[in-house]
Amino acid sequence: MESNNTRIAVLYATAQGSCRDIAEFIAAHLIARGARVELAEVEHAPELELFDAVVFGSAVHDRALLPEADAYLRTHRDALTSRPVWLFSVGIGPSLRGPIGRRLARIVPPDVAEIREMISPRAYRAFAGYCSRADLPVPSRVVYRLIGGARYGDLRDWDQIRDWTDNLADELGLPSTDSEKAPQS
């Protein structure tokens, strides 16, 4: 695959914006690595036949992908299994701490596991999102704290997201950026 001609669709389903922000970050990083990228919400997704690879992300609520993400993945299963796909999800799971939280964070939700089995992505990664205290009802805040939710706010680990994106860019044979070529001091 010619790196400067690699066309990648970065598609996402978001509820509160965290997944969109991560998808935008991934798209910008892939563009910096030399790919031609189209970023779109699943409702406005382009024809997959135009792309060499797909990066797909969805928010996870109640341990399930958003309904529009699930429907898109099932509807486009054949097109997705015929090209390299990277899958990511965004939720609170990866941000959980403590013995219970770390154990829960390692569990892939059954809905996500089923989708992974169905489309066989090259890689799957769960990222932490943004967790607003004001958006959670009191009982949910209590549960969040009990299962290891240590804080609220922006819980995204941008270095982790960049590393994951670099791995997929390397797998696609995209050239390194100048900052990646620079020796570390």
Side-chain angles (χ1 to χ4, degrees):
M1 196 178 311
E2 185 84 18
S3 61
N4 60 358
N5 289 325
T6 304
R7 290 191 43 99
I8 304 170
V10 178
L11 309 176
Y12 65 92
T14 193
Q16 298 171 340
S18 286
C19 191
R20 179 196 58 238
D21 294 345
I22 291 172
E24 288 172 349
F25 179 89
I26 290 169
H29 199 64
L30 291 171
I31 290 168
R33 293 280 307 255
R36 294 186 306 161
V37 175
E38 186 162 340
L39 173 70
E41 205 160 353
V42 293
E43 290 88 2
H44 307 289
E47 291 296 320
L48 293 178
E49 290 71 24
L50 302 172
F51 299 92
D52 303 305
V54 177
V55 178
F56 190 95
S58 174
V60 171
H61 287 188
D62 297 324
R63 302 189 44 77
L65 297 174
L66 294 180
E68 60 270 27
D70 187 74
Y72 182 90
L73 292 166
R74 291 177 190 284
T75 301
H76 295 89
R77 175 185 181 175
D78 292 340
L80 291 164
T81 56
S82 68
R83 62 194 28 81
V85 174
W86 283 263
L87 181 64
F88 71 93
S89 63
V90 180
I92 63 164
S95 69
L96 298 176
R97 304 289 179 250
I100 295 171
R102 282 191 296 274
R103 193 169 294 130
L104 289 174
R106 287 191 300 266
I107 298 170
V108 176
D111 181 56
V112 176
E114 181 184 343
I115 291 294
R116 276 185 11 190
E117 181 75 22
M118 184 179 73
I119 64 171
S120 300
R122 294 271 178 102
Y124 163 72
R125 185 65 179 264
F127 297 117
Y130 186 90
C131 183
S132 170
R133 186 176 194 274
D135 291 340
L136 291 175
V138 173
S140 295
R141 279 187 248 156
V142 171
V143 170
Y144 176 64
R145 288 294 193 188
L146 289 173
I147 63 173
R151 63 187 176 92
Y152 295 97
D154 191 350
L155 307 174
R156 295 170 288 191
D157 183 336
W158 297 105
D159 289 334
Q160 183 184 78
I161 297 164
R162 181 181 301 105
D163 290 346
W164 185 79
T165 306
D166 279 333
N167 286 337
L168 80 87
D170 291 344
E171 205 170 323
L172 287 169
L174 297 175
S176 296
T177 62
D178 290 336
S179 64
E180 291 169 335
K181 294 177 191 173
Q184 300 296 319
S185 49

